Amino acid sequence: MTLRFGIIAATVLVAACTGDPPAVAQASSACEAHNFENSRFTVCSAKGGSIEVRTSGTDGNPFRSFVALETAIGTRARHIAFAMNAGMFDEDGRAIGLLIEQGKQTHAINRRKGGGNFHLLPNGVFLVRSGGKAEVVKTEDFAASKDILFATQSGPMLVVDGKLHPSFEADGQSRHVRNGVGIAPDGTPLFVISNDEVSFGKLARFFRDGLNVHNALYFDGSVSSLWDPGNGRRDAFSPIGPMVVVFKSAASAPDRADPATP
């Protein structure tokens, strides 16, 4: 067990010892605990919610943390179901791949070959269309469209059309706390972060075999972070880049959304 999750694990242990059912503690949260192949994961469902990709405020400076995001969006923050880091970035926190916020492209898609996880092809794009539909697509299959409101590029793909990424070992020696996103059979985006250090192969299998996801995209394995207000969790281990923010369904209506503040 890593130190970063010691407090969370201790809280769960206390609840187990007192006989309190986990569902009570998680009633107000979109995130829930899962176990798969002796590893622990947290799965956050965006069903019924409104999804945005956020990176910076009106001054153009990257947020780099959930605290900065909360400050920037003001009273809208109370409607957040959860937020998670979402995509590769440079040392300044700026996206290195495709980034679309509120229909505006702020970074072009990156189709170059290179080293590192991002370039372990195929990589992919998580996108949200104007009707609210979310998709995970391979970079090579991405097509620009005016109805794409939000998008972030990352890599590698974890699951492609029901198959694991061809470069993954079954359970390789590289172990990190990792996170990613996949689309459930009913179209619901499922955001996953491991609570233990896991391999690429295990994370991919969890999406495919544990959650029945046919397409899933890796977000990161060095700075993986989750903000889950319902469970009182807000990770602040490392500066992050692009973030996906899911607002509760009641906050999705135009008359309920407060304007962002600088």
Side-chain angles (χ1 to χ4, degrees):
M1 181 185 300
T2 58
L3 179 59
R4 69 189 292 193
F5 293 103
I7 295 177
I8 297 173
T11 302
V12 173
L13 180 60
V14 170
C17 292
T18 57
D20 295 330
V24 173
Q26 299 184 358
S28 61
S29 175
C31 306
E32 61 181 19
H34 286 250
N35 287 296
F36 179 79
E37 295 183 359
N38 298 314
S39 293
R40 300 168 302 145
F41 296 86
T42 296
V43 179
C44 300
S45 171
K47 188 170 187 176
S50 174
I51 306 172
E52 298 182 7
V53 174
R54 303 295 299 267
T55 58
S56 58
T58 55
D59 59 2
N61 293 321
F63 293 130
R64 306 309 310 271
S65 71
F66 296 133
V67 172
L69 170 68
E70 179 181 27
T71 300
I73 65 177
T75 56
R76 287 189 74 204
R78 66 174 177 263
H79 300 304
I80 289 178
F82 63 90
M84 183 179 285
N85 64 291
M88 302 296 180
F89 54 93
D90 63 20
E91 60 184 11
D92 295 321
R94 302 183 188 280
I96 63 172
L98 177 70
L99 191 73
I100 299 175
E101 295 185 68
Q102 298 178 336
K104 180 181 179 181
Q105 179 178 295
T106 57
H107 195 287
I109 196 162
N110 185 338
R111 301 183 188 274
R112 297 189 300 272
K113 296 181 179 180
N117 294 331
F118 180 82
H119 297 287
L120 187 59
L121 304 180
N123 54 22
V125 175
F126 170 72
L127 62 90
V128 182
R129 299 187 185 275
S130 56
K133 181 183 179 181
E135 301 174 26
V136 169
V137 299
K138 291 185 295 183
T139 295
E140 61 193 77
D141 294 337
F142 175 80
S145 173
K146 292 182 178 179
D147 74 335
I148 298 177
L149 290 182
F150 299 96
T152 181
Q153 185 181 8
S154 193
M157 290 285 290
L158 295 168
V159 184
V160 183
D161 297 329
K163 297 181 180 180
L164 304 185
H165 192 291
S167 296
F168 294 167
E169 298 179 20
D171 197 18
Q173 294 300 308
S174 175
R175 309 290 175 86
H176 293 281
V177 171
R178 304 181 188 272
N179 70 306
V181 61
I183 308 299
D186 67 356
T188 299
L190 299 177
F191 296 85
V192 173
I193 185 169
S194 68
N195 293 344
D196 299 313
E197 296 181 346
V198 298
S199 65
F200 272 120
K202 181 175 287 190
L203 178 60
R205 284 195 303 280
F206 177 56
F207 271 110
R208 186 191 66 177
D209 303 336
L211 300 177
N212 196 27
V213 164
H214 284 192
N215 288 284
L217 177 66
Y218 182 64
F219 277 155
D220 216 305
S222 299
V223 302
S224 298
S225 303
L226 171 66
W227 180 12
D228 174 12
N231 281 322
R233 173 177 175 178
R234 182 158 63 182
D235 297 339
F237 308 109
S238 301
I240 55 180
M243 309 174 206
V244 64
V245 188
V246 178
F247 293 90
K248 299 174 184 177
S249 56
S252 302
D255 61 342
R256 292 296 301 277
D258 300 310
T261 56

